[in-house]
Every structure is written in structure tokens, then in C-alpha cells.
Amino acid sequence: MVQVLWLIIAVLVLYSVGYLSYSKYLAGFVELDDEQETPAHKHDDGQEYVPAKKSVLLGHHYSSIAGGAPIIGPITAGAAFGWLPAVLWVAIGNPLFGAVHDFMSLSASLRHDGRSIGYIIGEYVGERGKNLLLWFAFLTLILVLAVFAYVVATIFNAYPSAATASMLYIVLALVFGVYLYQLDLPFLPGTVAFVSAVFVSVWIGIQYPIALFATGDLASDVIVLFGDGGTWLPLASSIGENAAAWAPVIIIYAVIAAILPVWMLLQPRDYLSSFLLYTGVGGMVLAAITGTLFGLFDPVTYEGATYSLESQLPAFLGFYSPAVGPIFPFLFVVIACGTVSGFHSLVSSGTTAKQLNKESDARPIGYGAMLGEGLLATTAIAALMIVGATEFDAGLAGAMANFPLGGAVMLSSFGIPLEYGTTFIGLVFVSFLLTSTDTAIRLGRYMMEEIVGTPDTSGENDLTARLEQFAVNRYTNAFLIQGVLAYLLIASGTWSSLWPLFGGANQTLAALALLAATVWLVNWDDSKQLLSTGVPMAIMLVITVLALLWIAFIKNPQTILETGATGLELASLVLQSVLALVLVALAFSVMRRGYNNIQRVRGFDSLTGKKAEEPADD
């Protein structure tokens, strides 16, 4: 059997080669120059444009992009197709696709005054192209909210102690925000105190695990808040009453967190999350290496099963997964992060570019941080290999519950009891997910504001103006648009269609971000090679469009026929199919406009041999 140690070492070697060679080439290719003034210095306003130290910005950027998806996607793919296809895509695709995507998105924004990827595409293909891309991103963010709420509910159901620890963690973040920004108390002592309190919350969670509703598989020591009810909840029949109750609670939390001022929760929570992130991911990697090489690890037993640092998961499970679909295109879609993620382009061009102190910092932050996310994905695959489970009563979403167990087995090399390890890794996992859920809502609100602009309120009875005000209002946008749509998407309880739909949308967004970078290169210097961005763009577009069409025309109709879905479940599956087709249409519209621009700048008419005229932007 394969030891997970060699998997981790192989990925570290490949990533080191990618960073030392390819990222260096890309830095020269886009002509990074520390003599040039970055947007952070040029527009320094103490609010959004603020120069940051490289180490500080790297931590912020990594925390922002390393959400729950690089854990969820690789585990889903590993459970569906085996660990070998999953790790090959993470190990090879990350430095050639994902890191390039993140670096080029950051570099393009850097050269456009820190503007968003939507602004950049609009600069060259027109206002309509910009709005199409923003609509695509907005719909993708609703999917982010839906799938992450689904997974957090799964984790809370499997590990009630993680639910308690997570609730305490949120309270600590709120208090820390008041401590820093309202009471203006010392930063360093506060950091020590609150980080220590976060780790204490793990112990409290073990002592007082909580659940919302009782289910048959809950331990006797779990504190059940609402008794044996919950069968009326839409998801109760598919994922159980307790998980079904947690899903809307998580969405409501994310909506409220997205409305609150950033100082109150977002900033202090992200800061505390960074300590969980580094401790959890770094601890698992070090534990796997030292536990194997120095003989520190002893096999551990949990609920009657014995686990070691050797793989219990088959390397290959076949070319077709009944739960997901064919390995092509779905292997490349279900690993929605860890290899390449369109969400990162929103972070790179949304906040990071506005804080870059000097241009050379773009290499470790844009390219290097993505490699760090790939390492997180590798630990997720390693955790699943240790547990070795591929079938779950709740569908592939159940695989997510095994990341805390696999991570805890690794941490046991340091003598950490399995009970504490599972709760801690569960808290690490959930903290990633909770960070991404309300960040998605906040970004979605910003994008809707950019699409709509300032509503015209001059006509009191103007229906269009009222709809625009409804769409951009922070409360109605977060609660009634994003929150409700997200819950409708998860109401089917069909993880096998919901996660690939998110992956397809997210990866298509990555293709569109690579298109924006390619268009920028063409218009900047028509002698620049386009292979570094153009090839990943074309490959990802083909893969994602095939996946979205499969979901719309094959996967979801088949699920409806086989399960006899009715009511809310049927509406959810139909909504997913319609959304998939809308995303395909939006993607092709943006791609056509981008291609027209490239053809105008660099293309030649095959009959006349002359430069092609610019096509009309209809």
C-alpha cells in the first residue's frame, strides 16, 4: 500500500520546480518592475488602496482563496474515481493552470489601477461584455453559498463537537473585533489571548457537543436543542433532520455576517482563521512526514476501525462514477479548487491588487499562494486515502465528514488524541467554509451594484428603478436574492449534481478570467505569446461547457426520472438545469466578444491576407 508521505513529497517537489522556473518566466513575461508605482501607492486612500507588507498580504490572500473547496473537490473526486486521478490533476494542473490564472489575474489588475476582472474585460470588449461577465460571477457566487452551506451542515451533523467549537469561534471573532476597533486595546496581547481561546473552544466542543435535532446516529452525550422533530424540513429525508436544520441556519448566518461592518466580524475572523489554517495544514503535512520517517506514528483505532498512514483507498475506481458521471469532464470539474478556481480571479483583482506594495510581490502572492492551496488539496486527498471510504449514505457529501478523521490520524503522530484531532480539523475545515460563504455574499452584492449602477430614483412610480433599488439594497440582495436562491439550489439534496454544477460554473469563470488576461496581452503588445493563458483557457472552456450541458440534459433529467422527484426537490433540479444553460450562454457571449477583439488586434482574413476588421459588438 502507498504511504501518504510519498504523495506529499512528490507534490512538494513538482510545486517547487513550478515556482522556481515557470513563475520566474511569467514574472519576466509580464515585465514586473519594482520601479513602477503600484495602485496601492498611486491611489493610497487608507481604505481600499493600502500598501501591505509581502508577508501580511500573502497571509490575507491565502486565507481568502483557501476556503473549503480545495478540501471538498479533491475528496469528492478521490471518492468517485480514486486517489491517483485526483492527485495527478492537483499536482500537474495547479502550476500550469491555476497558478498561472491567479498570477495573470493579479498582474492584469495591477496594470489597470487595481480594477476588477470585469472592468478589464469591459475595457477591451465593451460594457455589455463586462456586464455579462459580472452576471456570470454573481450566479457562481450563489452556488458558492449553496454548496458550502450544504457541506457545513454535513460536518456539524457528523461532528457535533465541531458545531460547538465553531459557534464559540464566531463569538470570539465578534468580541475580538470590539476589542480591537471599539476599545482600541493592545494588538499583540489580544492576539495571544484570543488565539488561545480559539484552541480552548476545541476542548469545550468536545465536552459539550450540540445538535439541533436528534437522529439515530448521534452519540448519547450530544446536547440536542430541539428534540426529535425536524422531519418536516425539506432535506430531512435525504441528509437527516439534524443536517437539514443546520443548512438554513448557516445561510442565515452568512447573510447576517455579510451585512455586518467588516471590522465587526470579517477582519477579526479572517485573522484568527489564519492561525487555524497554518496550524492545521502545516501540522498535517509535518505529522505525515515525521510520523513516517522517524517512526513517531502508531496505528490508531476509531469506532472499531484501525487506521495508519498508508492508503486504504484504491488508486483507480474506474472511468465512470454512478454518483458523478464520466471521468472526463467531471474529474476536472469536481476539483473546483486546488487546481484552478475562477473565484480567485475575483480576489486577485478585487482586493489583493489594491494592496500590493511592489510589483515583484505578485509572484509569491499570485503564483505562490495558489501552490499553497494545492498543498491543502493534497492533504485532503491524503486524509481520504487514510480513511479509505468511497460510499456514504448521504451521497458523496458524506466524504467531507472524513477529512477531520483523516487529518486527526495524521496529527496523532504528535501524540494528539484522536478525539481532539477530529474536532480541531473539523473546526479548521468549517472556518474555511464559513469565511467563504459570507465573502461570497458580500462580493455578490458588490457585483450587483456594479451591474445596476446608481438606481434612478427620480420617478417614484418607475418599476425599473424600484427593481434596481431592490437588487442593490444590502438586505434584500443578501436575504431575498442570494439567500433564497442558494437554499432552493440545495433543497434537492442531490450533492452529485449540485457540486459539479458549482465546479462547472467556477471553472468556466476561470476560463473567462484567462480570456481577460489574454485580451489584455493582445492589446498591450501584439508580439506577446498567448499560449500560457490561451491553452488553459481553451481547455477549461471545453471541459466546463461539456460538464454543464451533461448536468442540464442528462444528469438532472435522469435523477428526476429515477427518484420521481416532486415539489421542492423537482423545482431545485429544474433550477439547477436552467442555471447551467444560462451559464453556458453567458460564457459563450463573453468568449465571442473576447475572440472578436483578439481577431481585430492580431487576426488576418484568410482570403485577403489583411488585418480583419473589428466585428460589431451586438
Side-chain angles (χ1 to χ4, degrees):
M1 288 185 286
V2 177
Q3 292 181 322
V4 299
L5 163 71
W6 305 118
L7 171 73
I8 293 173
I9 290 178
V11 171
L12 286 173
V13 170
L14 286 174
Y15 285 4
S16 297
V17 171
Y19 183 79
L20 294 174
S21 58
Y22 198 30
S23 74
K24 184 178 181 180
Y25 163 75
L26 291 174
F29 175 64
V30 299
E31 302 175 17
L32 295 182
D33 182 5
D34 286 344
E35 296 300 318
Q36 291 202 45
E37 190 177 35
T38 65
H41 288 284
K42 184 178 179 181
H43 304 290
D44 189 354
D45 58 6
Q47 297 286 334
E48 296 183 4
Y49 290 86
V50 181
K53 292 182 179 180
K54 180 169 62 176
S55 58
V56 174
L57 186 56
L58 176 61
H60 166 75
H61 182 80
Y62 186 41
S63 298
S64 298
I65 66 172
I71 299 172
I72 301 169
I75 287 180
T76 301
F81 304 113
W83 65 262
L84 184 59
V87 78
L88 285 176
W89 179 228
V90 169
I92 298 172
N94 184 299
L96 296 179
F97 284 64
V100 173
H101 164 275
D102 289 20
F103 174 79
M104 294 302 296
S105 296
L106 178 57
S107 298
S109 179
L110 189 65
R111 296 298 171 78
H112 291 80
D113 277 344
R115 301 295 186 91
S116 71
I117 205 73
Y119 173 89
I120 294 169
I121 197 75
E123 181 80 4
Y124 302 107
V125 307
E127 186 73 11
R128 185 177 299 178
K130 182 196 78 171
N131 287 337
L132 288 170
L133 180 58
L134 290 173
W135 270 113
F136 191 100
F138 178 77
L139 295 175
T140 301
L141 290 170
I142 293 176
L143 283 166
V144 171
L145 174 60
V147 297
F148 286 4
Y150 190 110
V151 175
V152 172
T154 301
I155 298 298
F156 282 179
N157 182 63
Y159 298 97
S161 56
T164 304
S166 298
M167 298 302 104
L168 292 173
Y169 164 69
I170 292 169
V171 173
L172 286 171
L174 287 166
V175 176
F176 191 38
V178 174
Y179 174 95
L180 288 178
Y181 295 101
Q182 298 299 302
L183 302 179
D184 195 25
L185 295 173
F187 177 75
L188 186 58
T191 296
V192 174
F194 280 90
V195 170
S196 300
V198 168
F199 287 96
V200 170
S201 70
V202 174
W203 179 85
I204 297 175
I206 292 172
Q207 304 304 314
Y208 305 101
I210 62 172
L212 297 182
F213 288 101
T215 56
D217 54 352
L218 287 178
S220 58
D221 63 338
V222 176
I223 301 171
V224 180
L225 300 181
F226 301 109
D228 296 328
T231 55
W232 52 272
L233 291 164
L235 291 172
S237 60
S238 58
I239 63 175
E241 294 89 339
N242 188 42
W246 277 118
V249 170
I250 298 305
I251 291 178
I252 292 171
Y253 156 78
V255 168
I256 295 173
I259 293 172
L260 292 175
V262 293
W263 65 263
M264 188 176 292
L265 181 59
L266 186 145
Q267 289 182 353
R269 186 203 55 209
D270 284 357
Y271 179 69
L272 294 176
S273 291
S274 67
F275 290 92
L276 289 172
L277 186 153
Y278 296 138
T279 304
V281 178
M284 284 188 286
V285 171
L286 290 176
I289 294 175
T290 58
T292 304
L293 295 181
F294 301 106
L296 300 178
F297 178 83
D298 291 320
V300 294
T301 301
Y302 181 77
E303 294 185 350
T306 301
Y307 301 100
S308 68
L309 294 182
E310 294 182 339
S311 175
Q312 305 300 316
L313 181 72
F316 184 65
L317 291 170
F319 292 99
Y320 183 85
S321 165
V324 175
I327 195 169
F328 183 87
F330 284 103
L331 169 70
F332 309 95
V333 167
V334 296
I335 302 182
C337 290
T339 298
V340 58
S341 169
F343 180 75
H344 297 185
S345 67
L346 306 180
V347 176
S348 296
S349 66
T351 58
T352 305
K354 296 179 176 66
Q355 302 174 62
L356 209 67
N357 184 44
K358 55 184 180 179
E359 289 198 349
S360 61
D361 290 350
R363 182 186 173 199
I365 293 171
Y367 195 98
M370 183 56 191
L371 297 179
E373 180 170 294
L375 185 60
L376 173 60
T378 303
T379 64
I381 297 172
L384 184 67
M385 291 169 67
I386 289 171
V387 176
T390 59
E391 296 181 2
F392 305 92
D393 293 339
L396 284 179
M400 304 312 114
N402 287 272
F403 176 68
L405 175 57
V409 171
M410 285 185 261
L411 290 180
S412 67
S413 295
F414 295 143
I416 299 174
L418 211 62
E419 186 179 23
Y420 288 87
T422 52
T423 301
F424 173 67
I425 297 300
L427 175 60
V428 171
F429 191 8
V430 168
S431 69
F432 291 160
L433 294 163
L434 293 178
T435 298
S436 299
T437 51
D438 65 272
T439 298
I441 293 178
R442 196 178 294 271
L443 287 172
R445 197 175 76 241
Y446 294 161
M447 288 178 187
M448 184 59 69
E449 290 170 357
E450 193 170 348
I451 293 170
V452 172
T454 303
D456 181 11
T457 59
S458 58
E460 293 184 3
N461 297 319
D462 184 53
L463 178 61
T464 301
R466 291 187 176 184
L467 290 175
E468 289 176 345
Q469 292 178 54
F470 177 86
V472 300
N473 180 276
R474 68 169 57 200
Y475 302 105
T476 55
N477 179 282
F479 274 104
L480 300 180
I481 299 178
Q482 298 191 66
V484 171
L485 284 176
Y487 187 73
L488 286 175
L489 285 170
I490 67 175
S492 67
T494 54
W495 171 259
S496 58
S497 63
L498 182 59
W499 180 257
L501 175 61
F502 159 72
N506 187 49
Q507 309 297 62
T508 308
L509 180 58
L512 297 180
L514 287 166
L515 171 69
T518 305
V519 169
W520 162 55
L521 292 174
V522 167
N523 286 269
W524 172 27
D525 183 347
D526 63 8
S527 67
K528 292 285 186 183
Q529 61 90 358
L530 304 180
L531 295 178
S532 294
T533 56
V535 171
M537 173 192 71
I539 292 174
M540 294 313 302
L541 183 66
V542 171
I543 288 172
T544 54
V545 167
L546 287 175
L548 291 171
L549 292 177
W550 181 283
I551 291 170
F553 291 120
I554 298 177
K555 181 64 178 176
N556 283 1
Q558 185 179 42
T559 301
I560 292 171
L561 292 175
E562 290 178 352
T563 62
T566 58
L568 193 57
E569 182 180 354
L570 175 63
S572 178
L573 289 167
V574 171
L575 177 61
Q576 291 178 27
S577 295
V578 171
L579 183 56
L581 295 176
V582 170
L583 291 171
V584 170
L586 288 172
F588 274 123
S589 296
V590 177
M591 280 289 177
R592 180 174 65 85
R593 286 167 170 79
Y595 175 78
N596 287 347
N597 179 268
I598 296 171
Q599 189 75 1
R600 175 183 66 82
V601 176
R602 194 174 290 192
F604 289 87
D605 187 284
S606 60
L607 296 177
T608 64
K610 298 179 181 180
K611 277 263 184 149
E613 295 295 326
E614 180 178 8
D617 183 17
D618 51 26

